[in-house]
Amino acid sequence: MQSQNKKLRNAVITAVGMYAPEKVMDNKYFESIVDTNDEWIVSRTGIKERRKMENGATSDMAALACEDLFRTTNVKPEEIDVIIVATVTPDMFFPATACLVQDKIGAKNAWGFDLSAACSGFLFALQTGASLIEGGSYKKVLVVGSDKMSAITDYTDRNTCILFGDAASAVLLEPTTDLNYGIKDSMLFVDGAGKDALNMKAGGSALPSTEETIKNKLHYIYQDGKAVFKVAVKGMADISYEIMERNGLKSEDVSYLVPHQANLRIISATAQRMGVSEDKVMINIDKYGNTTAATIPLCLTEYYRAGKVKKGDNLILAAFGAGYTWGSIYLTWGFD
Ligand code: COA
């Protein structure tokens, strides 16, 4: 929670960038590998296709998203102070993916770290980056959401394989003393009691990799879809409504809801609770599926580049994910 009246500066997004791999996996493709069909996938999830990174890792996608961002700003990689990479699919346990990205983009004066909060990762990273800027010590923070979900997806499990895709997206945070713009409020939560409903069980210190863990497919995403669906609907809808309420925002004051893209039905329920009409909801789940930490900045980048986001627009970002983790951020867009 932030105490707004004591702030000397806000962190504001000043540039955006994205990378989506070229290879498209449409619903027809999944009909050919598991017992499913296009109608089921579209009606239950809203997904029509997703992308797959065939050659390269999470850090490669992240670096490409950052390079895309740098093409649109005068800021140079060597001016970056901090790189935060939100991901659940790091290239390896260590070093952190942020280190690999730092090297790939030539951000030679930056430090950085990875942040693991699954589908809420971008929101947690954005608030962390904002706090570093608000504290006054850092002026340029790159916040990246990058996930190569195909690396941990079991393509024989129809319950999960149709949901996820690969992508990366990045935003640049800088300080502004005009408190009308930038990140104004955040409400972020975890509840570790949700750990059994959505996880990847093996490969960590609890269950190191063995022949047995591989045989039992414990290095893939496990999800109890129904259980997660129930808490995700409530979690995302409630938090988005609460952040509006505590900032005195009416539905007509909200320019866009920017929801994590896990399921169109969860997104619709959130918009309904906020009283926000469909045309004010950023959606690209049909094209990319659930790209975990990348969904929200991917939406921001695409809508901004389509000329749909303007300086002064009030955005409510909202996410729910494994952990459980969930939250919402209220910001006012700071550039045209
Ligand atoms: N194609 C066809 N049928 C499928 C299928 C697929 N790809 N996947 C599952 N089914 C079947 C199930 O086996 C089940 O069959 P059964 O009733 O014979 O057992 C039936 O469809 C209904 O499954 P269910 O899990 O109840 O579907 P659902 O309506 O809950 O939708 C999800 C499944 C995964 C789309 C949905 O639960 C969901 O989106 N969950 C939350 C995801 C989320 O927000 N995660 C957090 C962030 S990552």
Side-chain angles (χ1 to χ4, degrees):
M1 246 183 250
Q2 303 170 16
S3 60
Q4 242 169 263
N5 43 9
K6 286 192 195 138
K7 278 163 93 179
L8 298 173
R9 61 191 76 79
N10 274 351
V12 65
I13 293 174
T14 58
V16 292
M18 61 176 273
Y19 174 74
E22 274 171 29
K23 162 99 177 162
V24 174
M25 294 187 292
D26 62 12
N27 290 348
K28 277 263 166 283
Y29 167 72
F30 284 90
E31 287 180 2
S32 75
I33 61 166
V34 288
D35 180 14
T36 191
N37 59 76
D38 178 60
E39 195 280 325
W40 191 96
I41 300 173
V42 173
S43 63
R44 296 293 180 116
T45 69
I47 301 167
K48 293 180 182 155
E49 54 188 48
R50 9 35 220 125
R51 302 296 178 93
K52 185 172 189 184
M53 184 70 170
E54 293 191 288
N55 299 303
T58 293
S59 69
D60 296 306
M61 293 196 297
L64 287 162
C66 292
E67 282 161 12
D68 183 50
L69 178 151
F70 284 119
R71 279 193 284 275
T72 70
T73 170
N74 293 327
V75 174
K76 301 274 172 289
E78 53 271 24
E79 292 176 68
I80 299 299
D81 300 312
V82 187
I83 301 169
I84 309 175
V85 178
T87 187
V88 289
T89 52
D91 287 30
M92 51 191 120
F93 266 160
F94 64 88
T97 303
C99 301
L100 310 177
V101 174
Q102 177 273 337
D103 184 43
K104 282 176 183 167
I105 65 174
K108 57 178 189 237
N109 297 306
W111 62 283
F113 54 93
D114 290 1
L115 190 152
S116 172
C119 295
S120 309
F122 181 75
L123 292 195
F124 284 26
L126 191 65
Q127 177 52 37
T128 304
S131 301
L132 292 172
I133 297 240
E134 286 162 17
S137 302
Y138 301 101
K139 294 203 160 50
K140 290 178 174 46
V141 178
L142 263 183
V143 179
V144 189
S146 184
D147 269 304
K148 185 182 170 184
M149 297 307 288
S150 63
I152 58 167
T153 298
D154 176 1
Y155 286 99
T156 65
D157 176 13
R158 70 174 183 173
N159 291 294
T160 53
C161 71
I162 54 115
L163 299 172
F164 297 97
D166 303 339
S169 188
V171 305
L172 177 63
L173 286 177
E174 295 186 80
T176 175
T177 50
D178 185 344
L179 302 186
N180 291 310
Y181 300 102
I183 293 164
K184 294 180 169 172
D185 195 13
S186 69
M187 298 175 76
L188 305 171
F189 299 94
V190 305
D191 179 5
K195 70 183 190 324
D196 295 329
L198 181 49
N199 56 43
M200 189 180 96
K201 293 184 173 58
S205 58
L207 210 51
S209 314
T210 61
E211 271 181 41
E212 198 71 7
T213 61
I214 293 169
K215 204 173 78 202
N216 292 329
K217 298 188 165 192
L218 302 181
H219 297 269
Y220 291 128
I221 302 158
Y222 165 78
Q223 174 169 252
D224 178 347
K226 225 174 245 174
V228 177
F229 186 85
K230 267 190 218 150
V231 281
V233 166
K234 188 162 163 39
M236 245 173 75
D238 284 356
I239 201 71
S240 308
Y241 181 73
E242 273 175 47
I243 205 161
M244 279 173 69
E245 274 231 303
R246 85 172 192 184
N247 286 282
L249 294 170
K250 305 223 168 357
S251 49
E252 59 267 29
D253 302 323
V254 176
S255 311
Y256 281 104
L257 162 66
V258 192
H260 170 55
Q261 313 277 307
N263 187 309
L264 200 51
R265 291 181 289 150
I266 299 175
I267 294 171
S268 300
T270 304
Q272 219 166 17
R273 179 84 202 278
M274 295 167 70
V276 163
S277 56
E278 254 177 45
D279 58 317
K280 289 169 135 197
V281 184
M282 291 194 190
I283 291 170
N284 59 16
I285 188 172
D286 50 324
K287 291 193 291 180
Y288 303 113
N290 183 349
T291 57
T292 304
T295 62
I296 289 176
L298 210 55
C299 275
L300 290 175
T301 306
E302 288 203 324
Y303 275 71
Y304 170 71
R305 288 182 177 173
K308 293 179 181 169
V309 188
K310 299 273 179 246
K311 189 172 181 180
D313 279 353
N314 289 324
L315 310 185
I316 302 287
L317 283 44
F320 190 96
Y324 295 124
T325 56
W326 72 103
S328 188
I329 286 182
Y330 160 42
L331 64 85
T332 301
W333 198 253
F335 69 113
D336 276 326

